[in-house]
Amino acid sequence: MKADRLITDCRLATMTEAAAAYGAIEDGAILIADGRIAWVGPRADLPAHEATQTDRLDGRWVTPGLIDCHTHLVFGGDRSGEFEQRLNGATYEEIARAGGGIVSSMTATRAAAEEDLYASAVARLEGLKATGVTTVEIKSGYGLDRDAELKMLRVARRIGREAGVRVRTSYLGLHAVPPEHRANRPAYVDLAIDDILPAAHVEGLVDAVDAYCEPIAFSDTEVSRLFEKAKMLGLPVKLHADQLSDGGGAALAARYKALSADHIEHANEAGIAAMGQAGVVAVLLPGAYLMLRETTPPPIQALRRHGVAMAVATDCNPGTSPVASMTAAMTLACVQFRLTPEEALAGATRHAARALGLSDEIGTLEVGKAADLAVWDVTRPAELCYWLGKPILDRRYVAGVRAYPGLAAFHAT
């Protein structure tokens, strides 16, 4: 077997659904050819091969590259002032109704040049890459007009071409009503659904369609119109659901067989059961839960009971989750929501891949999948959720290309 690279002298957390915890192989090896895993298994079973390059990892653990399946990475400005307001007692809803929140980020994003949006997003991305991320989802939703929404999505596509990660984009036009349409809300809904989404789709900028379904955002009826349009265009959907109240978002996501329903702190049992039947992934966002000082956690036991896959993501955004560390998100999921470390790692790999519709491509260490890997200086996989702030990533591989943490993070070696 010919290979571009042999990775050996390592322990593998394959994250396949195997009998062993973490799908672990204690003394493993991986052969990589043309950016994909050509063979993976116990080193004792390594087939005859010719590898151009050999990387010996001195017993380090290898996992699939981590996947941040819910971010708002591209935006202008920041909202540290609103952070102070919340600490002084203001609620998220009060800030939003006073013209802050998403609309504040909208103003800064509309004013920012594409180059500036790219530079600031890539700076935030360094924190994700330094914590093992090889794939990131990036939403629009801070433009809220045609030009700015397309600008955000173009920046996201550029990040995928140039910044050493895979990128999936989500169009989030139904995120908030911009000020110029407050007197005529239906006109904005029409614009978002019938003008901006088709324009973004024609340019090839959209991988999925998202919406924010809450009393302070958009209704079940409005979101359904958007999802019907997405279906016409052949695009999968996902939903910000039941974060602040039980608005039936989980059931709505299930009705449209969404890739995921995200947040879901207030989802009811019937909605969770519907998600399980429809195969909708629950994306848990502990960063927002922490920063908003919420007290109602997602219904983890109900999710387990109904067999709903649980992904974990940072929700990196300027207002409610300024989190740029995937391992921190995993730690918070364990501490706040009582996930096990194995559940959290599955949530950042196998289940996150499913939440992006990429299960056939990434998320586990299996033959034929992309050679996106993270290598860790740990003695057991649980340490990925144990340390908070300690640098534990040794290196990443994206399509078999080795990359290191830090600003000069991508090297074609």
Side-chain angles (χ1 to χ4, degrees), residues 236-271:
V237 299
K238 53 182 59 183
L239 187 65
H240 287 60
D242 302 331
Q243 178 188 10
L244 305 174
S245 62
D246 179 5
L252 175 62
R255 190 157 73 244
Y256 282 93
K257 293 184 168 51
L259 291 172
S260 68
D262 303 24
H263 290 290
I264 65 165
E265 283 90 333
H266 294 271
N268 60 49
E269 182 95 14

PDB file of all heavy atoms in Angstrom, residues 236-271:
ATOM      1  N   PRO A 236     -30.553  21.965   3.277  1.00  0.00           N
ATOM      2  CA  PRO A 236     -30.976  21.493   4.599  1.00  0.00           C
ATOM      3  C   PRO A 236     -31.170  22.666   5.555  1.00  0.00           C
ATOM      4  O   PRO A 236     -30.670  23.774   5.322  1.00  0.00           O
ATOM      5  CB  PRO A 236     -29.798  20.612   5.046  1.00  0.00           C
ATOM      6  CG  PRO A 236     -28.615  21.177   4.333  1.00  0.00           C
ATOM      7  CD  PRO A 236     -29.132  21.682   3.004  1.00  0.00           C
ATOM      8  N   VAL A 237     -31.893  22.408   6.649  1.00  0.00           N
ATOM      9  CA  VAL A 237     -32.188  23.468   7.611  1.00  0.00           C
ATOM     10  C   VAL A 237     -31.704  23.072   9.003  1.00  0.00           C
ATOM     11  O   VAL A 237     -31.465  21.904   9.304  1.00  0.00           O
ATOM     12  CB  VAL A 237     -33.697  23.800   7.652  1.00  0.00           C
ATOM     13  CG1 VAL A 237     -34.165  24.278   6.281  1.00  0.00           C
ATOM     14  CG2 VAL A 237     -34.530  22.603   8.130  1.00  0.00           C
ATOM     15  N   LYS A 238     -31.590  24.101   9.851  1.00  0.00           N
ATOM     16  CA  LYS A 238     -31.292  23.926  11.270  1.00  0.00           C
ATOM     17  C   LYS A 238     -31.966  25.075  11.999  1.00  0.00           C
ATOM     18  O   LYS A 238     -32.452  26.012  11.368  1.00  0.00           O
ATOM     19  CB  LYS A 238     -29.788  23.915  11.512  1.00  0.00           C
ATOM     20  CG  LYS A 238     -29.056  25.115  10.926  1.00  0.00           C
ATOM     21  CD  LYS A 238     -27.552  25.035  11.160  1.00  0.00           C
ATOM     22  CE  LYS A 238     -26.980  23.778  10.549  1.00  0.00           C
ATOM     23  NZ  LYS A 238     -25.532  23.662  10.837  1.00  0.00           N
ATOM     24  N   LEU A 239     -31.993  25.025  13.343  1.00  0.00           N
ATOM     25  CA  LEU A 239     -32.806  26.001  14.057  1.00  0.00           C
ATOM     26  C   LEU A 239     -32.220  26.343  15.422  1.00  0.00           C
ATOM     27  O   LEU A 239     -31.822  25.450  16.175  1.00  0.00           O
ATOM     28  CB  LEU A 239     -34.226  25.439  14.253  1.00  0.00           C
ATOM     29  CG  LEU A 239     -35.272  26.382  14.836  1.00  0.00           C
ATOM     30  CD1 LEU A 239     -35.544  27.547  13.888  1.00  0.00           C
ATOM     31  CD2 LEU A 239     -36.564  25.625  15.136  1.00  0.00           C
ATOM     32  N   HIS A 240     -32.166  27.659  15.726  1.00  0.00           N
ATOM     33  CA  HIS A 240     -31.988  28.125  17.097  1.00  0.00           C
ATOM     34  C   HIS A 240     -33.337  27.906  17.786  1.00  0.00           C
ATOM     35  O   HIS A 240     -34.300  28.629  17.511  1.00  0.00           O
ATOM     36  CB  HIS A 240     -31.658  29.619  17.131  1.00  0.00           C
ATOM     37  CG  HIS A 240     -30.274  29.974  16.680  1.00  0.00           C
ATOM     38  ND1 HIS A 240     -29.799  29.697  15.416  1.00  0.00           N
ATOM     39  CD2 HIS A 240     -29.268  30.611  17.341  1.00  0.00           C
ATOM     40  CE1 HIS A 240     -28.555  30.160  15.314  1.00  0.00           C
ATOM     41  NE2 HIS A 240     -28.212  30.710  16.471  1.00  0.00           N
ATOM     42  N   ALA A 241     -33.415  26.942  18.686  1.00  0.00           N
ATOM     43  CA  ALA A 241     -34.717  26.491  19.177  1.00  0.00           C
ATOM     44  C   ALA A 241     -34.786  26.508  20.704  1.00  0.00           C
ATOM     45  O   ALA A 241     -33.876  26.011  21.380  1.00  0.00           O
ATOM     46  CB  ALA A 241     -34.994  25.078  18.674  1.00  0.00           C
ATOM     47  N   ASP A 242     -35.879  27.049  21.227  1.00  0.00           N
ATOM     48  CA  ASP A 242     -36.241  26.898  22.643  1.00  0.00           C
ATOM     49  C   ASP A 242     -35.113  27.292  23.592  1.00  0.00           C
ATOM     50  O   ASP A 242     -34.932  26.679  24.644  1.00  0.00           O
ATOM     51  CB  ASP A 242     -36.677  25.445  22.922  1.00  0.00           C
ATOM     52  CG  ASP A 242     -37.844  25.011  22.058  1.00  0.00           C
ATOM     53  OD1 ASP A 242     -38.649  25.877  21.674  1.00  0.00           O
ATOM     54  OD2 ASP A 242     -37.940  23.809  21.742  1.00  0.00           O
ATOM     55  N   GLN A 243     -34.393  28.354  23.243  1.00  0.00           N
ATOM     56  CA  GLN A 243     -33.299  28.807  24.109  1.00  0.00           C
ATOM     57  C   GLN A 243     -33.814  29.547  25.334  1.00  0.00           C
ATOM     58  O   GLN A 243     -33.353  29.301  26.446  1.00  0.00           O
ATOM     59  CB  GLN A 243     -32.341  29.720  23.340  1.00  0.00           C
ATOM     60  CG  GLN A 243     -31.197  30.261  24.206  1.00  0.00           C
ATOM     61  CD  GLN A 243     -30.351  31.307  23.504  1.00  0.00           C
ATOM     62  OE1 GLN A 243     -30.717  31.786  22.426  1.00  0.00           O
ATOM     63  NE2 GLN A 243     -29.231  31.667  24.103  1.00  0.00           N
ATOM     64  N   LEU A 244     -34.735  30.458  25.134  1.00  0.00           N
ATOM     65  CA  LEU A 244     -35.204  31.323  26.215  1.00  0.00           C
ATOM     66  C   LEU A 244     -36.598  30.956  26.702  1.00  0.00           C
ATOM     67  O   LEU A 244     -37.011  31.388  27.776  1.00  0.00           O
ATOM     68  CB  LEU A 244     -35.200  32.789  25.747  1.00  0.00           C
ATOM     69  CG  LEU A 244     -33.857  33.303  25.202  1.00  0.00           C
ATOM     70  CD1 LEU A 244     -34.017  34.706  24.631  1.00  0.00           C
ATOM     71  CD2 LEU A 244     -32.785  33.272  26.285  1.00  0.00           C
ATOM     72  N   SER A 245     -37.310  30.158  25.920  1.00  0.00           N
ATOM     73  CA  SER A 245     -38.670  29.755  26.272  1.00  0.00           C
ATOM     74  C   SER A 245     -39.037  28.532  25.454  1.00  0.00           C
ATOM     75  O   SER A 245     -38.363  28.197  24.480  1.00  0.00           O
ATOM     76  CB  SER A 245     -39.662  30.889  25.985  1.00  0.00           C
ATOM     77  OG  SER A 245     -39.662  31.195  24.590  1.00  0.00           O
ATOM     78  N   ASP A 246     -40.108  27.867  25.862  1.00  0.00           N
ATOM     79  CA  ASP A 246     -40.586  26.707  25.111  1.00  0.00           C
ATOM     80  C   ASP A 246     -41.537  27.197  24.035  1.00  0.00           C
ATOM     81  O   ASP A 246     -42.736  27.371  24.263  1.00  0.00           O
ATOM     82  CB  ASP A 246     -41.285  25.724  26.047  1.00  0.00           C
ATOM     83  CG  ASP A 246     -41.821  24.497  25.308  1.00  0.00           C
ATOM     84  OD1 ASP A 246     -41.561  24.378  24.098  1.00  0.00           O
ATOM     85  OD2 ASP A 246     -42.505  23.675  25.946  1.00  0.00           O
ATOM     86  N   GLY A 247     -40.985  27.428  22.843  1.00  0.00           N
ATOM     87  CA  GLY A 247     -41.788  27.899  21.732  1.00  0.00           C
ATOM     88  C   GLY A 247     -42.090  26.833  20.707  1.00  0.00           C
ATOM     89  O   GLY A 247     -42.497  27.145  19.578  1.00  0.00           O
ATOM     90  N   GLY A 248     -41.868  25.575  21.053  1.00  0.00           N
ATOM     91  CA  GLY A 248     -42.129  24.492  20.112  1.00  0.00           C
ATOM     92  C   GLY A 248     -41.074  24.355  19.038  1.00  0.00           C
ATOM     93  O   GLY A 248     -41.299  23.713  18.006  1.00  0.00           O
ATOM     94  N   GLY A 249     -39.896  24.929  19.270  1.00  0.00           N
ATOM     95  CA  GLY A 249     -38.838  24.877  18.259  1.00  0.00           C
ATOM     96  C   GLY A 249     -38.332  23.486  17.983  1.00  0.00           C
ATOM     97  O   GLY A 249     -38.022  23.144  16.834  1.00  0.00           O
ATOM     98  N   ALA A 250     -38.224  22.653  19.022  1.00  0.00           N
ATOM     99  CA  ALA A 250     -37.742  21.282  18.816  1.00  0.00           C
ATOM    100  C   ALA A 250     -38.675  20.520  17.884  1.00  0.00           C
ATOM    101  O   ALA A 250     -38.236  19.822  16.964  1.00  0.00           O
ATOM    102  CB  ALA A 250     -37.615  20.566  20.163  1.00  0.00           C
ATOM    103  N   ALA A 251     -39.981  20.664  18.117  1.00  0.00           N
ATOM    104  CA  ALA A 251     -40.961  19.990  17.250  1.00  0.00           C
ATOM    105  C   ALA A 251     -40.919  20.551  15.833  1.00  0.00           C
ATOM    106  O   ALA A 251     -41.058  19.798  14.857  1.00  0.00           O
ATOM    107  CB  ALA A 251     -42.360  20.127  17.842  1.00  0.00           C
ATOM    108  N   LEU A 252     -40.723  21.866  15.701  1.00  0.00           N
ATOM    109  CA  LEU A 252     -40.619  22.480  14.371  1.00  0.00           C
ATOM    110  C   LEU A 252     -39.410  21.932  13.623  1.00  0.00           C
ATOM    111  O   LEU A 252     -39.498  21.589  12.437  1.00  0.00           O
ATOM    112  CB  LEU A 252     -40.526  23.998  14.515  1.00  0.00           C
ATOM    113  CG  LEU A 252     -40.290  24.803  13.235  1.00  0.00           C
ATOM    114  CD1 LEU A 252     -41.448  24.619  12.262  1.00  0.00           C
ATOM    115  CD2 LEU A 252     -40.098  26.284  13.565  1.00  0.00           C
ATOM    116  N   ALA A 253     -38.278  21.834  14.310  1.00  0.00           N
ATOM    117  CA  ALA A 253     -37.080  21.276  13.685  1.00  0.00           C
ATOM    118  C   ALA A 253     -37.322  19.839  13.241  1.00  0.00           C
ATOM    119  O   ALA A 253     -36.912  19.423  12.150  1.00  0.00           O
ATOM    120  CB  ALA A 253     -35.903  21.351  14.654  1.00  0.00           C
ATOM    121  N   ALA A 254     -38.007  19.069  14.079  1.00  0.00           N
ATOM    122  CA  ALA A 254     -38.297  17.677  13.730  1.00  0.00           C
ATOM    123  C   ALA A 254     -39.216  17.596  12.523  1.00  0.00           C
ATOM    124  O   ALA A 254     -39.051  16.731  11.654  1.00  0.00           O
ATOM    125  CB  ALA A 254     -38.920  16.968  14.928  1.00  0.00           C
ATOM    126  N   ARG A 255     -40.204  18.512  12.471  1.00  0.00           N
ATOM    127  CA  ARG A 255     -41.165  18.489  11.361  1.00  0.00           C
ATOM    128  C   ARG A 255     -40.466  18.659  10.021  1.00  0.00           C
ATOM    129  O   ARG A 255     -40.874  18.070   9.014  1.00  0.00           O
ATOM    130  CB  ARG A 255     -42.209  19.591  11.579  1.00  0.00           C
ATOM    131  CG  ARG A 255     -43.385  19.515  10.641  1.00  0.00           C
ATOM    132  CD  ARG A 255     -44.617  20.224  11.204  1.00  0.00           C
ATOM    133  NE  ARG A 255     -44.500  21.678  11.191  1.00  0.00           N
ATOM    134  CZ  ARG A 255     -44.478  22.437  12.275  1.00  0.00           C
ATOM    135  NH1 ARG A 255     -44.536  21.877  13.477  1.00  0.00           N
ATOM    136  NH2 ARG A 255     -44.392  23.746  12.173  1.00  0.00           N
ATOM    137  N   TYR A 256     -39.410  19.470  10.003  1.00  0.00           N
ATOM    138  CA  TYR A 256     -38.665  19.705   8.763  1.00  0.00           C
ATOM    139  C   TYR A 256     -37.414  18.826   8.642  1.00  0.00           C
ATOM    140  O   TYR A 256     -36.599  19.045   7.761  1.00  0.00           O
ATOM    141  CB  TYR A 256     -38.301  21.189   8.658  1.00  0.00           C
ATOM    142  CG  TYR A 256     -39.480  22.031   8.206  1.00  0.00           C
ATOM    143  CD1 TYR A 256     -40.318  22.633   9.142  1.00  0.00           C
ATOM    144  CD2 TYR A 256     -39.785  22.175   6.859  1.00  0.00           C
ATOM    145  CE1 TYR A 256     -41.421  23.387   8.738  1.00  0.00           C
ATOM    146  CE2 TYR A 256     -40.872  22.924   6.441  1.00  0.00           C
ATOM    147  CZ  TYR A 256     -41.683  23.519   7.386  1.00  0.00           C
ATOM    148  OH  TYR A 256     -42.774  24.258   6.977  1.00  0.00           O
ATOM    149  N   LYS A 257     -37.283  17.831   9.552  1.00  0.00           N
ATOM    150  CA  LYS A 257     -36.123  16.935   9.529  1.00  0.00           C
ATOM    151  C   LYS A 257     -34.819  17.750   9.442  1.00  0.00           C
ATOM    152  O   LYS A 257     -33.946  17.493   8.607  1.00  0.00           O
ATOM    153  CB  LYS A 257     -36.229  15.921   8.392  1.00  0.00           C
ATOM    154  CG  LYS A 257     -37.362  14.923   8.597  1.00  0.00           C
ATOM    155  CD  LYS A 257     -37.403  13.871   7.507  1.00  0.00           C
ATOM    156  CE  LYS A 257     -38.329  12.719   7.864  1.00  0.00           C
ATOM    157  NZ  LYS A 257     -39.683  13.119   8.291  1.00  0.00           N
ATOM    158  N   ALA A 258     -34.737  18.739  10.308  1.00  0.00           N
ATOM    159  CA  ALA A 258     -33.571  19.616  10.349  1.00  0.00           C
ATOM    160  C   ALA A 258     -32.314  18.830  10.694  1.00  0.00           C
ATOM    161  O   ALA A 258     -32.373  17.784  11.353  1.00  0.00           O
ATOM    162  CB  ALA A 258     -33.787  20.712  11.391  1.00  0.00           C
ATOM    163  N   LEU A 259     -31.180  19.343  10.249  1.00  0.00           N
ATOM    164  CA  LEU A 259     -29.910  18.758  10.673  1.00  0.00           C
ATOM    165  C   LEU A 259     -29.781  18.824  12.183  1.00  0.00           C
ATOM    166  O   LEU A 259     -29.325  17.868  12.824  1.00  0.00           O
ATOM    167  CB  LEU A 259     -28.740  19.506  10.021  1.00  0.00           C
ATOM    168  CG  LEU A 259     -28.556  19.350   8.515  1.00  0.00           C
ATOM    169  CD1 LEU A 259     -27.472  20.301   8.022  1.00  0.00           C
ATOM    170  CD2 LEU A 259     -28.192  17.906   8.171  1.00  0.00           C
ATOM    171  N   SER A 260     -30.171  19.970  12.766  1.00  0.00           N
ATOM    172  CA  SER A 260     -30.001  20.138  14.203  1.00  0.00           C
ATOM    173  C   SER A 260     -31.001  21.137  14.759  1.00  0.00           C
ATOM    174  O   SER A 260     -31.528  21.988  14.035  1.00  0.00           O
ATOM    175  CB  SER A 260     -28.573  20.612  14.525  1.00  0.00           C
ATOM    176  OG  SER A 260     -28.349  21.930  14.048  1.00  0.00           O
ATOM    177  N   ALA A 261     -31.241  21.015  16.058  1.00  0.00           N
ATOM    178  CA  ALA A 261     -31.932  22.024  16.852  1.00  0.00           C
ATOM    179  C   ALA A 261     -30.953  22.444  17.933  1.00  0.00           C
ATOM    180  O   ALA A 261     -30.470  21.601  18.695  1.00  0.00           O
ATOM    181  CB  ALA A 261     -33.207  21.471  17.462  1.00  0.00           C
ATOM    182  N   ASP A 262     -30.659  23.738  18.023  1.00  0.00           N
ATOM    183  CA  ASP A 262     -29.541  24.226  18.827  1.00  0.00           C
ATOM    184  C   ASP A 262     -30.036  25.048  20.014  1.00  0.00           C
ATOM    185  O   ASP A 262     -31.011  25.794  19.898  1.00  0.00           O
ATOM    186  CB  ASP A 262     -28.612  25.070  17.962  1.00  0.00           C
ATOM    187  CG  ASP A 262     -28.079  24.313  16.746  1.00  0.00           C
ATOM    188  OD1 ASP A 262     -28.744  23.345  16.323  1.00  0.00           O
ATOM    189  OD2 ASP A 262     -27.032  24.678  16.217  1.00  0.00           O
ATOM    190  N   HIS A 263     -29.365  24.911  21.124  1.00  0.00           N
ATOM    191  CA  HIS A 263     -29.698  25.486  22.436  1.00  0.00           C
ATOM    192  C   HIS A 263     -30.645  24.547  23.177  1.00  0.00           C
ATOM    193  O   HIS A 263     -30.247  23.878  24.107  1.00  0.00           O
ATOM    194  CB  HIS A 263     -30.322  26.889  22.332  1.00  0.00           C
ATOM    195  CG  HIS A 263     -29.376  27.957  21.901  1.00  0.00           C
ATOM    196  ND1 HIS A 263     -28.357  28.411  22.703  1.00  0.00           N
ATOM    197  CD2 HIS A 263     -29.306  28.682  20.761  1.00  0.00           C
ATOM    198  CE1 HIS A 263     -27.690  29.375  22.082  1.00  0.00           C
ATOM    199  NE2 HIS A 263     -28.246  29.538  20.889  1.00  0.00           N
ATOM    200  N   ILE A 264     -31.925  24.576  22.872  1.00  0.00           N
ATOM    201  CA  ILE A 264     -33.024  23.709  23.366  1.00  0.00           C
ATOM    202  C   ILE A 264     -33.099  23.585  24.894  1.00  0.00           C
ATOM    203  O   ILE A 264     -33.612  22.579  25.400  1.00  0.00           O
ATOM    204  CB  ILE A 264     -32.997  22.305  22.712  1.00  0.00           C
ATOM    205  CG1 ILE A 264     -31.768  21.512  23.083  1.00  0.00           C
ATOM    206  CG2 ILE A 264     -33.152  22.400  21.209  1.00  0.00           C
ATOM    207  CD1 ILE A 264     -31.902  20.016  22.759  1.00  0.00           C
ATOM    208  N   GLU A 265     -32.684  24.599  25.638  1.00  0.00           N
ATOM    209  CA  GLU A 265     -32.798  24.533  27.088  1.00  0.00           C
ATOM    210  C   GLU A 265     -34.238  24.310  27.556  1.00  0.00           C
ATOM    211  O   GLU A 265     -34.482  23.633  28.558  1.00  0.00           O
ATOM    212  CB  GLU A 265     -32.248  25.813  27.733  1.00  0.00           C
ATOM    213  CG  GLU A 265     -30.736  25.893  27.800  1.00  0.00           C
ATOM    214  CD  GLU A 265     -30.108  26.552  26.575  1.00  0.00           C
ATOM    215  OE1 GLU A 265     -30.717  26.496  25.484  1.00  0.00           O
ATOM    216  OE2 GLU A 265     -29.009  27.128  26.716  1.00  0.00           O
ATOM    217  N   HIS A 266     -35.205  24.878  26.849  1.00  0.00           N
ATOM    218  CA  HIS A 266     -36.596  24.822  27.296  1.00  0.00           C
ATOM    219  C   HIS A 266     -37.450  23.878  26.457  1.00  0.00           C
ATOM    220  O   HIS A 266     -38.687  23.926  26.542  1.00  0.00           O
ATOM    221  CB  HIS A 266     -37.194  26.233  27.288  1.00  0.00           C
ATOM    222  CG  HIS A 266     -36.563  27.150  28.288  1.00  0.00           C
ATOM    223  ND1 HIS A 266     -37.012  27.274  29.577  1.00  0.00           N
ATOM    224  CD2 HIS A 266     -35.481  27.975  28.187  1.00  0.00           C
ATOM    225  CE1 HIS A 266     -36.261  28.146  30.232  1.00  0.00           C
ATOM    226  NE2 HIS A 266     -35.327  28.587  29.415  1.00  0.00           N
ATOM    227  N   ALA A 267     -36.826  23.026  25.657  1.00  0.00           N
ATOM    228  CA  ALA A 267     -37.599  22.101  24.821  1.00  0.00           C
ATOM    229  C   ALA A 267     -38.388  21.121  25.687  1.00  0.00           C
ATOM    230  O   ALA A 267     -37.904  20.641  26.723  1.00  0.00           O
ATOM    231  CB  ALA A 267     -36.662  21.344  23.883  1.00  0.00           C
ATOM    232  N   ASN A 268     -39.601  20.807  25.261  1.00  0.00           N
ATOM    233  CA  ASN A 268     -40.427  19.887  26.036  1.00  0.00           C
ATOM    234  C   ASN A 268     -40.213  18.445  25.598  1.00  0.00           C
ATOM    235  O   ASN A 268     -39.577  18.172  24.575  1.00  0.00           O
ATOM    236  CB  ASN A 268     -41.911  20.290  25.946  1.00  0.00           C
ATOM    237  CG  ASN A 268     -42.430  20.280  24.515  1.00  0.00           C
ATOM    238  OD1 ASN A 268     -42.239  19.314  23.772  1.00  0.00           O
ATOM    239  ND2 ASN A 268     -43.102  21.358  24.108  1.00  0.00           N
ATOM    240  N   GLU A 269     -40.755  17.537  26.389  1.00  0.00           N
ATOM    241  CA  GLU A 269     -40.546  16.102  26.151  1.00  0.00           C
ATOM    242  C   GLU A 269     -41.057  15.668  24.785  1.00  0.00           C
ATOM    243  O   GLU A 269     -40.402  14.892  24.080  1.00  0.00           O
ATOM    244  CB  GLU A 269     -41.224  15.291  27.253  1.00  0.00           C
ATOM    245  CG  GLU A 269     -41.031  13.788  27.136  1.00  0.00           C
ATOM    246  CD  GLU A 269     -39.870  13.257  27.970  1.00  0.00           C
ATOM    247  OE1 GLU A 269     -39.373  13.975  28.833  1.00  0.00           O
ATOM    248  OE2 GLU A 269     -39.463  12.097  27.732  1.00  0.00           O
ATOM    249  N   ALA A 270     -42.214  16.167  24.390  1.00  0.00           N
ATOM    250  CA  ALA A 270     -42.766  15.778  23.089  1.00  0.00           C
ATOM    251  C   ALA A 270     -41.865  16.248  21.955  1.00  0.00           C
ATOM    252  O   ALA A 270     -41.653  15.516  20.971  1.00  0.00           O
ATOM    253  CB  ALA A 270     -44.171  16.359  22.920  1.00  0.00           C
ATOM    254  N   GLY A 271     -41.334  17.459  22.078  1.00  0.00           N
ATOM    255  CA  GLY A 271     -40.411  17.954  21.061  1.00  0.00           C
ATOM    256  C   GLY A 271     -39.136  17.133  20.994  1.00  0.00           C
ATOM    257  O   GLY A 271     -38.629  16.842  19.906  1.00  0.00           O
TER     258      GLY A 271
END
